[in-house]
Amino acid sequence: MHGQNDCTVAHQGTGSVEHAPAAAGDPDMIRIAGGLFRMGSDDHYPEEAPVHQVHVDAFLMDRTPVTNEAFARFVAASGYVTVAEQAPRPEDYPGADPALLVPGSLVFRMPADGGDPDDWTRWWQFVPGASWRHPQGHGSDLSGIEDHPVVHVCHADAAAYAAWAGKALPTEAEWEFAARGDLDGAAFAWGGDELAPGGIHRANTWQGRFPMENLAEDGFVGTSPVTAFPANGFGLLDMIGNVWEWTDDWYRPRHPAPAAKACCLPRNPRGGTIEDSLEWANPGLALPRKVLKGGSHLCAPSYCRRYRPAARQPQSLDTGSVHIGFRCVRRFTS
């Protein structure tokens, strides 16, 4: 995270994508009734504030993140080629090291020593050949992890899958409402203010000193099967931890102010504008960003406490990594 870029905004996944057959009553989706809830948090990171009430209409959401097995079916049916499997165009990265203009993606590597805890380049490496098929790069594959969430997907890849499946990516409000599992205002998706109540881990997160020590007290190093942890109050699995999940909202640094009157509460709100989302960290290259939600297996109490429904993270449209996945929604039409 923290501004890494492994492919270009103009660089899209390819393939002739046709819609999957629409199923009447998808058993892998759960109906979320919708309603009014308090979005955001005033108690954690500044980008989560202020708390404000919004209303979302009913929708269907995938019970789990999209798995390697499901994404493989999509690719087999459509011929789609993900962004990480293509070489970035040199004209989109003037002055870039030619060695980095090859197919690949970002992979977490535990550093040999602690170093600067604010220097993400010590544990994030651009790995040629890393993609959804090869999560750790050349020599790795999906054997034994077919039921883990697909990773190394950029926003365009997630959107292409959603379109093929006759679905959509969730808005941030839909995602957060669903993640809360009918526990409005609770810090954690399982209620209360403890990450592991009673010493029992409810999600795949990092235990130990990040990034040097992973105690794996939750039973996993890296990603885990999407059904490994209990469902939330809506019956949704893996909403917290394991992998960050794409939404379709443009990122803005803070939520809007609460509505002045009850009659004016936002209904089915969307995020900011593309201009709000731009990142100016690299001179001359403003990168649009969407909102990620849910935290990942790399979130640790000592470093990144974003394993909560209110937590949010900006991510460049073109950037995937070993801890970013997604799930889809289907909205009802009147």
Side-chain angles (χ1 to χ4, degrees), residues 39 49-54 252 254-259 266 269-271 312:
M39 186 174 180
V51 172
H52 58 296
Q53 284 193 313
V54 304
R252 54 184 164 194
R254 287 178 64 84
H255 286 306
R270 298 303 304 257
R312 53 202 304 268

Side-chain angles (χ1 to χ4, degrees), residues 206-209 213-221:
W206 182 288
Q207 299 86 52
R209 294 179 298 112
E213 175 189 50
N214 188 346
L215 300 177
E217 293 171 348
D218 57 12
F220 299 99
V221 174

Side-chain angles (χ1 to χ4, degrees), residues 165-189:
K167 303 177 183 180
L169 295 179
T171 66
E172 182 178 2
E174 288 170 336
W175 195 100
E176 185 170 329
F177 181 83
R180 291 184 177 279
D182 210 25
L183 294 174
D184 186 28
F188 290 98

